Coordinates of all heavy atoms in Angstrom, one line a residue:
N27 N -59.1 12.1 -48.2 CA -58.0 13.0 -47.7 C -58.7 14.3 -47.3 O -58.1 15.4 -47.6 CB -56.9 13.2 -48.7 CG -56.1 11.9 -48.9 OD1 -56.0 11.2 -47.9 ND2 -55.5 11.7 -50.0
Y40 N -48.4 18.4 -47.2 CA -48.1 18.0 -45.8 C -47.0 18.9 -45.3 O -46.0 19.1 -45.9 CB -47.6 16.6 -45.8 CG -47.2 16.0 -44.4 CD1 -48.2 15.6 -43.5 CD2 -45.9 16.0 -44.0 CE1 -47.9 15.1 -42.3 CE2 -45.6 15.5 -42.7 CZ -46.6 15.1 -41.9 OH -46.3 14.6 -40.6
P63 N -45.7 16.9 -51.0 CA -47.0 16.3 -51.4 C -47.5 15.3 -50.3 O -46.7 14.6 -49.7 CB -46.7 15.6 -52.7 CG -45.5 16.2 -53.2 CD -44.7 16.7 -52.0
L64 N -48.7 15.3 -50.1 CA -49.3 14.5 -49.0 C -49.1 13.0 -49.3 O -48.7 12.3 -48.4 CB -50.8 14.8 -48.9 CG -51.6 14.0 -47.8 CD1 -51.0 14.3 -46.4 CD2 -53.1 14.2 -47.9
S65 N -49.2 12.6 -50.5 CA -49.0 11.2 -50.8 C -47.6 10.7 -50.5 O -47.4 9.7 -49.9 CB -49.2 10.9 -52.3 OG -48.4 11.8 -53.1
Q66 N -46.6 11.6 -50.7 CA -45.2 11.3 -50.4 C -45.0 11.2 -48.9 O -44.4 10.3 -48.4 CB -44.3 12.4 -51.0 CG -42.8 12.1 -50.8 CD -42.0 13.3 -51.2 OE1 -42.4 14.1 -52.1 NE2 -40.8 13.5 -50.6
A67 N -45.6 12.1 -48.1 CA -45.5 12.1 -46.7 C -46.2 10.8 -46.1 O -45.6 10.2 -45.2 CB -46.2 13.3 -46.1
L68 N -47.4 10.5 -46.7 CA -48.0 9.3 -46.2 C -47.2 8.1 -46.4 O -47.1 7.2 -45.6 CB -49.4 9.1 -46.9 CG -50.5 10.2 -46.4 CD1 -51.7 10.1 -47.3 CD2 -50.8 10.0 -45.0
E69 N -46.6 8.0 -47.6 CA -45.7 6.9 -48.0 C -44.5 6.8 -47.0 O -44.2 5.7 -46.5 CB -45.2 7.1 -49.4 CG -44.5 5.9 -50.0 CD -45.5 4.7 -50.1 OE1 -46.7 4.8 -50.4 OE2 -45.0 3.6 -49.7
Q70 N -43.9 8.0 -46.7 CA -42.8 8.0 -45.8 C -43.2 7.5 -44.4 O -42.4 6.7 -43.8 CB -42.2 9.4 -45.7 CG -41.2 9.7 -46.9 CD -40.8 11.2 -46.8 OE1 -41.4 12.0 -46.1 NE2 -39.7 11.5 -47.6
H71 N -44.3 8.0 -43.9 CA -44.8 7.6 -42.6 C -45.0 6.1 -42.6 O -44.6 5.4 -41.6 CB -46.1 8.3 -42.3 CG -45.9 9.6 -41.6 ND1 -45.8 9.7 -40.3 CD2 -45.6 10.8 -42.1 CE1 -45.6 11.0 -39.9 NE2 -45.5 11.7 -41.1
R72 N -45.6 5.6 -43.7 CA -45.9 4.1 -43.7 C -44.5 3.3 -43.7 O -44.4 2.4 -43.0 CB -46.6 3.8 -45.1 CG -48.1 3.9 -45.0 CD -48.6 2.8 -44.1 NE -50.0 3.0 -43.7 CZ -51.1 2.6 -44.3 NH1 -50.9 1.9 -45.4 NH2 -52.2 2.8 -43.8
S73 N -43.6 3.8 -44.5 CA -42.3 3.0 -44.6 C -41.5 3.1 -43.3 O -40.9 2.1 -42.8 CB -41.5 3.4 -45.8 OG -40.9 4.7 -45.5

Side-chain angles (χ1 to χ4, degrees):
N27 289 332
Y40 180 80
L64 181 62
S65 56
Q66 186 186 330
L68 290 172
E69 192 58 43
Q70 276 175 345
H71 272 267
R72 273 289 164 93
S73 72

